[in-house]
Amino acid sequence: MNIRQLFLGDEPNQEVCVRGWVRTFRANRFIALNDGSCLANMQCVVDFEQIPEDVLAEINTGAAVEITGNLVESQGKGQKFEIRARNVIILGTSNPDEYPIQPKKHSLEFLREKAHLRIRTNTFAAVMRVRATLSFAVHQYFTQNGFYQVHTPIITGSDAEGAGEMFRVTTKNPEQADDKPDFFGKETNLTVSGQLEAETYAMGLGKVYTFGPTFRAENSNTSRHLAEFWMIEPEVAFSDLNDNMDLAEDFIKSVLAYVLEHCKEDLSFLNQRFAQEEAKKPQIERSSMGLLERLQFVTQNEFKRVSYTEAVDILRNSKPNKKKKFKYSVDGWGIDLQSEHERYLVEKHFTCPVIIFDYPAEIKAFYMRMNDDGKTVRAMDVLFPGVGEIVGGSQREERLDKLVERMKAMDIHEKELWWYTDLRRFGTAEHAGFGLGFERLVLYATGMSNIRDVIPYPRTPLSAEF
Ligand code: 4AD
Ligand code: MG
């Protein structure tokens, strides 16, 4: 049995055997043992007279041990049970002078350099358990709502977003000039989105979703961007932008409610951590709510929906700060919203999640459905406090002539996407979908502030260790 199961159970006075890693060993007597199954350590009390000295000498922070003994009600505060250790076996030693994860608070930056061991800290273990639970909740939500998961390709021949931020996949050696064709006989890249392929499946299965890794070579070294991240992309046939916004809102609320219910211990720990971190910030940058409070708030309140045009009006008439204006001024209709604008709308103006819809066609991808005004497209972004854009989606252009027109205007080659335009030839229908950046959701749910700390091995410019 693991430590979590022992704590959940109600049966002291039985002989148990646990295996885990030593967090601390105090007074030659108290081992705090953690096996990763939950946040809490199991206190194991050893009778040092009964344990051989060479074994005692190896009970160091980081060592893997097996402990057998009696599970008893704990006298100590804050824990239900402890183990009276009868026998300790050292499974794997750990040199205390070399083990980098000492029983003290390490900076997140330091821990990023030790990404293979940081999972043995309370913070990372809590974040990764919440991440795993959220992932389960995603599959559960879609399955219960009649969606089928589709596994879209990771190697693709098309740039779904048309943004040219792709990692090339090739077997050609750049140092050698050879005229043999490349592996696939054409240029291929790592996918930036499974959307186009998901659309084809929605037009056969009705309701589908993808949940897979995506890759973007955008050189933005921010706390919100990764070069490799996981995206969830639902796509629904016979649905429009309003249905799409409803789905995004219901989906996010539902998975956050799931972790609130199922990750109580970890979230309560992260809630405390969040409060400590917020307290270090200047007053005006502090979040008005605690972590648990804001998760509850999001699950219980409606997201605010405004059109891009309304949003720009609000920004133009706003004074973000008496002394400071926006770094990027809001000159007029048609500008791309910067993250400072998004944050102002969400954190200062509406103080709740916001969905902005009907963006100027010029700043959005080719596949979005043109509105009758000929200027805006049926796009929507969901913006979250602290995180900014968490979802980007749209109703798709289902009219062949309009789609081809847009592709021409945006220099997207119809020849490469012949299969995508085919969908508009055979049984075309209204359809819509969105992409949610999984790490941004995990960031929000855990209250962490850097996206590098919510994925096991972050990939960012100049960094691909591990
Ligand atoms: O807004 P994006 O670019 O939309 C798409 O890729 C569409 N094809 C989705 C669709 O309609 N099916 O990306 C979607 C989301 C963003 O809102 C953001 O949460 C996340 O993906 N995202 C990133 N997350 C981490 N690092 C990056 N570099 C990201 N780029 C986008
Ligand atoms: Mg986007």
Side-chain angles (χ1 to χ4, degrees), residues 109 112 165 216-228 339 440 449-453 458-464:
E109 290 78 12
R112 262 172 234 151
E165 291 164 339
R216 293 192 187 178
E218 49 188 334
N219 210 346
S220 30
N221 228 327
T222 78
S223 58
R224 305 282 175 267
H225 288 89
L226 290 164
E228 176 179 300
S339 72
R440 297 206 181 159
S449 52
N450 194 312
I451 200 162
R452 293 168 178 80
D453 299 328
R459 300 288 180 246
T460 51
L462 300 179
S463 159

Side-chain angles (χ1 to χ4, degrees), residues 276-316:
Q276 288 162 6
E277 293 302 311
E278 288 298 302
K280 293 181 194 160
K281 295 184 184 166
Q283 188 78 40
I284 72 157
E285 281 172 31
R286 276 182 215 164
S287 158
S288 58
M289 288 185 232
L291 175 64
L292 286 173
E293 208 184 343
R294 77 175 196 186
L295 289 174
Q296 267 139 10
F297 178 87
V298 166
T299 58
Q300 288 160 8
N301 289 280
E302 273 186 16
F303 296 3
K304 181 78 194 168
R305 298 183 190 187
V306 286
S307 71
Y308 167 89
T309 305
E310 289 168 277
V312 165
D313 279 343
I314 293 168
L315 290 168
R316 266 201 245 160

